[in-house]
Amino acid sequence: MKLCVALDLPRYEENIALIRQLRGEDVWLKVGLRSFIRDGEAILKEIKSIHPGFKIFLDLKIHDIPNTMADAAESMVNLGVEMFNVHASSGQKAMRMVMERVNTFQNPPIVLAVTALTSFDHASFEAIYHKSITHKVVDFAKDTYESGLHGVVCSVFESKLIKHHTGDDFLTLTPGIRPFGEGADDQERVADLTRAKEEKSDFIVVGRPIYQSNDPLGVVQKILERLS
Ligand code: C5P
């Protein structure tokens, strides 16, 4: 299981300060919408210049018509990131086109699809999708698997079930992690490290419990100790 640290701090300089503290640690860094819209490619270059060994997950969750998604996917490959994601609800046609394009490159990045956002509770999810989270997430995961992507973004609670319906090597990346039982913030379906391990999550995403702590490096090291 790998740790992916969410770089969701309000200012560029704060993200950079956090990245510098984590230099030398075996972590992935997640660049999300806020940071990428504001800082663009500069943040990606800066991450690699601080430590070339950092792996980058570009979390833009793209969702558009198939051709636009394939073009955007190509742009993300050209940015040199190691992982990016799309929305599974964009459908099989779009996801297949993304993979056709991505697979024309040597050493393509990992491509994941978002199933259900971890901020959804059951009632608000069903109001949009008219199906339970568990059933719909399995449908999305199967679509993603059949479209040739490498895995999905899901909550810890669906990770094992998804692997059961797809394959053990189909990756799950799980946000909504509160490693040592910290407060949930705006997340509805949170889990701790023990549960994430039991549910065979491949990547855990942790944001606020790290960057809002007084000792982000200490929290990261404590998590990494538990993962090894
Ligand atoms: O601070 P926290 O640990 O809750 O941050 C979780 C991160 O994971 C945020 O950057 C959020 O955008 C992202 N994310 C999520 N749920 C998803 C996909 C991504 O929380 N389903």
mmCIF file of all heavy atoms in Angstrom, residues 2 13 19-20 62 74 112 115 130 135 139-140 149 155 183 188 214 216:
data_model
loop_
_atom_site.group_PDB
_atom_site.id
_atom_site.type_symbol
_atom_site.label_atom_id
_atom_site.label_comp_id
_atom_site.label_asym_id
_atom_site.label_seq_id
_atom_site.Cartn_x
_atom_site.Cartn_y
_atom_site.Cartn_z
ATOM 1 N N LYS A 2 0.543 2.205 -0.884
ATOM 2 C CA LYS A 2 1.326 3.438 -1.005
ATOM 3 C C LYS A 2 0.556 4.614 -0.401
ATOM 4 O O LYS A 2 -0.678 4.655 -0.490
ATOM 5 C CB LYS A 2 1.575 3.753 -2.486
ATOM 6 C CG LYS A 2 2.513 2.767 -3.162
ATOM 7 C CD LYS A 2 3.932 3.071 -2.755
ATOM 8 C CE LYS A 2 4.935 2.128 -3.371
ATOM 9 N NZ LYS A 2 6.235 2.206 -2.686
ATOM 10 N N GLU A 13 3.216 28.555 -2.022
ATOM 11 C CA GLU A 13 4.390 28.493 -1.142
ATOM 12 C C GLU A 13 4.181 27.479 -0.010
ATOM 13 O O GLU A 13 5.119 26.821 0.426
ATOM 14 C CB GLU A 13 4.688 29.874 -0.523
ATOM 15 C CG GLU A 13 5.137 30.939 -1.514
ATOM 16 C CD GLU A 13 4.002 31.446 -2.409
ATOM 17 O OE1 GLU A 13 2.821 31.293 -2.034
ATOM 18 O OE2 GLU A 13 4.305 31.982 -3.493
ATOM 19 N N ILE A 19 6.104 19.985 0.546
ATOM 20 C CA ILE A 19 6.846 19.046 -0.324
ATOM 21 C C ILE A 19 8.303 18.958 0.132
ATOM 22 O O ILE A 19 8.883 17.874 0.214
ATOM 23 C CB ILE A 19 6.784 19.515 -1.806
ATOM 24 C CG1 ILE A 19 5.336 19.537 -2.307
ATOM 25 C CG2 ILE A 19 7.619 18.611 -2.692
ATOM 26 C CD1 ILE A 19 5.122 20.343 -3.582
ATOM 27 N N ARG A 20 8.897 20.111 0.459
ATOM 28 C CA ARG A 20 10.310 20.117 0.899
ATOM 29 C C ARG A 20 10.495 19.285 2.162
ATOM 30 O O ARG A 20 11.468 18.559 2.307
ATOM 31 C CB ARG A 20 10.779 21.557 1.169
ATOM 32 C CG ARG A 20 10.928 22.362 -0.086
ATOM 33 C CD ARG A 20 12.141 23.313 -0.031
ATOM 34 N NE ARG A 20 12.337 23.910 -1.337
ATOM 35 C CZ ARG A 20 11.857 25.106 -1.707
ATOM 36 N NH1 ARG A 20 11.194 25.849 -0.834
ATOM 37 N NH2 ARG A 20 12.053 25.557 -2.930
ATOM 38 N N ILE A 62 -11.319 14.220 -14.891
ATOM 39 C CA ILE A 62 -11.920 14.806 -16.102
ATOM 40 C C ILE A 62 -13.199 14.057 -16.529
ATOM 41 O O ILE A 62 -13.331 12.844 -16.340
ATOM 42 C CB ILE A 62 -10.907 14.915 -17.273
ATOM 43 C CG1 ILE A 62 -10.392 13.535 -17.698
ATOM 44 C CG2 ILE A 62 -9.757 15.843 -16.903
ATOM 45 C CD1 ILE A 62 -9.660 13.580 -19.034
ATOM 46 N N GLU A 74 -4.006 13.008 -23.380
ATOM 47 C CA GLU A 74 -2.704 13.134 -24.054
ATOM 48 C C GLU A 74 -1.902 14.286 -23.440
ATOM 49 O O GLU A 74 -0.696 14.165 -23.192
ATOM 50 C CB GLU A 74 -2.919 13.373 -25.554
ATOM 51 C CG GLU A 74 -1.617 13.494 -26.312
ATOM 52 C CD GLU A 74 -1.802 13.525 -27.822
ATOM 53 O OE1 GLU A 74 -2.856 13.088 -28.331
ATOM 54 O OE2 GLU A 74 -0.868 13.997 -28.492
ATOM 55 N N LEU A 112 -6.799 5.999 -13.631
ATOM 56 C CA LEU A 112 -7.860 5.532 -12.737
ATOM 57 C C LEU A 112 -9.168 6.222 -13.095
ATOM 58 O O LEU A 112 -9.150 7.291 -13.721
ATOM 59 C CB LEU A 112 -7.521 5.883 -11.285
ATOM 60 C CG LEU A 112 -6.179 5.406 -10.726
ATOM 61 C CD1 LEU A 112 -6.003 5.927 -9.301
ATOM 62 C CD2 LEU A 112 -6.082 3.885 -10.750
ATOM 63 N N THR A 115 -15.206 6.503 -9.027
ATOM 64 C CA THR A 115 -16.534 5.859 -8.956
ATOM 65 C C THR A 115 -17.486 6.817 -8.232
ATOM 66 O O THR A 115 -18.120 7.641 -8.874
ATOM 67 C CB THR A 115 -16.429 4.495 -8.250
ATOM 68 O OG1 THR A 115 -15.813 4.664 -6.970
ATOM 69 C CG2 THR A 115 -15.634 3.512 -9.083
ATOM 70 N N HIS A 130 -29.864 7.136 -8.466
ATOM 71 C CA HIS A 130 -31.014 6.234 -8.342
ATOM 72 C C HIS A 130 -30.609 4.779 -8.132
ATOM 73 O O HIS A 130 -31.260 3.854 -8.628
ATOM 74 C CB HIS A 130 -31.945 6.372 -9.558
ATOM 75 C CG HIS A 130 -32.337 7.793 -9.805
ATOM 76 N ND1 HIS A 130 -33.152 8.513 -8.948
ATOM 77 C CD2 HIS A 130 -31.979 8.658 -10.777
ATOM 78 C CE1 HIS A 130 -33.288 9.740 -9.402
ATOM 79 N NE2 HIS A 130 -32.571 9.871 -10.506
ATOM 80 N N HIS A 135 -23.998 -0.764 -5.221
ATOM 81 C CA HIS A 135 -24.301 -1.337 -6.536
ATOM 82 C C HIS A 135 -23.718 -0.508 -7.665
ATOM 83 O O HIS A 135 -23.145 -1.024 -8.616
ATOM 84 C CB HIS A 135 -25.813 -1.480 -6.724
ATOM 85 C CG HIS A 135 -26.370 -2.628 -5.952
ATOM 86 N ND1 HIS A 135 -27.032 -2.470 -4.764
ATOM 87 C CD2 HIS A 135 -26.295 -3.950 -6.176
ATOM 88 C CE1 HIS A 135 -27.375 -3.659 -4.299
ATOM 89 N NE2 HIS A 135 -26.935 -4.575 -5.134
ATOM 90 N N ASP A 139 -20.862 -1.287 -10.643
ATOM 91 C CA ASP A 139 -21.114 -1.065 -12.084
ATOM 92 C C ASP A 139 -20.011 -0.200 -12.687
ATOM 93 O O ASP A 139 -19.460 -0.508 -13.746
ATOM 94 C CB ASP A 139 -22.442 -0.313 -12.314
ATOM 95 C CG ASP A 139 -23.659 -1.146 -11.968
ATOM 96 O OD1 ASP A 139 -23.509 -2.365 -11.756
ATOM 97 O OD2 ASP A 139 -24.764 -0.564 -11.896
ATOM 98 N N PHE A 140 -19.706 0.920 -12.014
ATOM 99 C CA PHE A 140 -18.667 1.829 -12.525
ATOM 100 C C PHE A 140 -17.313 1.113 -12.618
ATOM 101 O O PHE A 140 -16.560 1.295 -13.572
ATOM 102 C CB PHE A 140 -18.521 3.045 -11.596
ATOM 103 C CG PHE A 140 -19.528 4.143 -11.809
ATOM 104 C CD1 PHE A 140 -19.998 4.892 -10.727
ATOM 105 C CD2 PHE A 140 -19.983 4.478 -13.079
ATOM 106 C CE1 PHE A 140 -20.904 5.927 -10.902
ATOM 107 C CE2 PHE A 140 -20.893 5.518 -13.271
ATOM 108 C CZ PHE A 140 -21.355 6.240 -12.180
ATOM 109 N N LEU A 149 -8.699 0.518 -18.123
ATOM 110 C CA LEU A 149 -7.980 1.374 -17.176
ATOM 111 C C LEU A 149 -7.322 0.501 -16.093
ATOM 112 O O LEU A 149 -7.615 -0.682 -15.984
ATOM 113 C CB LEU A 149 -8.930 2.389 -16.520
ATOM 114 C CG LEU A 149 -9.277 3.620 -17.387
ATOM 115 C CD1 LEU A 149 -10.244 3.258 -18.496
ATOM 116 C CD2 LEU A 149 -9.864 4.739 -16.532
ATOM 117 N N SER A 155 -14.183 4.495 -2.117
ATOM 118 C CA SER A 155 -13.963 4.537 -0.671
ATOM 119 C C SER A 155 -13.408 3.180 -0.239
ATOM 120 O O SER A 155 -13.569 2.172 -0.935
ATOM 121 C CB SER A 155 -15.263 4.854 0.073
ATOM 122 O OG SER A 155 -15.885 3.668 0.474
ATOM 123 N N GLY A 183 -10.708 13.480 12.935
ATOM 124 C CA GLY A 183 -12.038 13.956 12.530
ATOM 125 C C GLY A 183 -12.261 13.838 11.025
ATOM 126 O O GLY A 183 -11.323 13.922 10.233
ATOM 127 N N GLU A 188 -17.743 11.829 4.247
ATOM 128 C CA GLU A 188 -18.808 11.076 4.905
ATOM 129 C C GLU A 188 -18.362 9.661 5.251
ATOM 130 O O GLU A 188 -18.721 9.117 6.272
ATOM 131 C CB GLU A 188 -20.051 11.002 4.007
ATOM 132 C CG GLU A 188 -20.843 12.299 3.940
ATOM 133 C CD GLU A 188 -21.517 12.649 5.263
ATOM 134 O OE1 GLU A 188 -21.730 11.743 6.104
ATOM 135 O OE2 GLU A 188 -21.812 13.836 5.468
ATOM 136 N N ASN A 214 0.521 19.790 13.349
ATOM 137 C CA ASN A 214 1.683 20.616 13.718
ATOM 138 C C ASN A 214 2.979 20.002 13.223
ATOM 139 O O ASN A 214 4.000 20.671 13.165
ATOM 140 C CB ASN A 214 1.770 20.746 15.250
ATOM 141 C CG ASN A 214 0.593 21.529 15.768
ATOM 142 O OD1 ASN A 214 0.084 22.420 15.089
ATOM 143 N ND2 ASN A 214 0.133 21.175 16.969
ATOM 144 N N PRO A 216 3.662 17.692 10.093
ATOM 145 C CA PRO A 216 3.287 16.884 8.918
ATOM 146 C C PRO A 216 4.270 15.744 8.639
ATOM 147 O O PRO A 216 3.847 14.614 8.374
ATOM 148 C CB PRO A 216 3.303 17.905 7.771
ATOM 149 C CG PRO A 216 3.080 19.222 8.421
ATOM 150 C CD PRO A 216 3.733 19.132 9.768
#
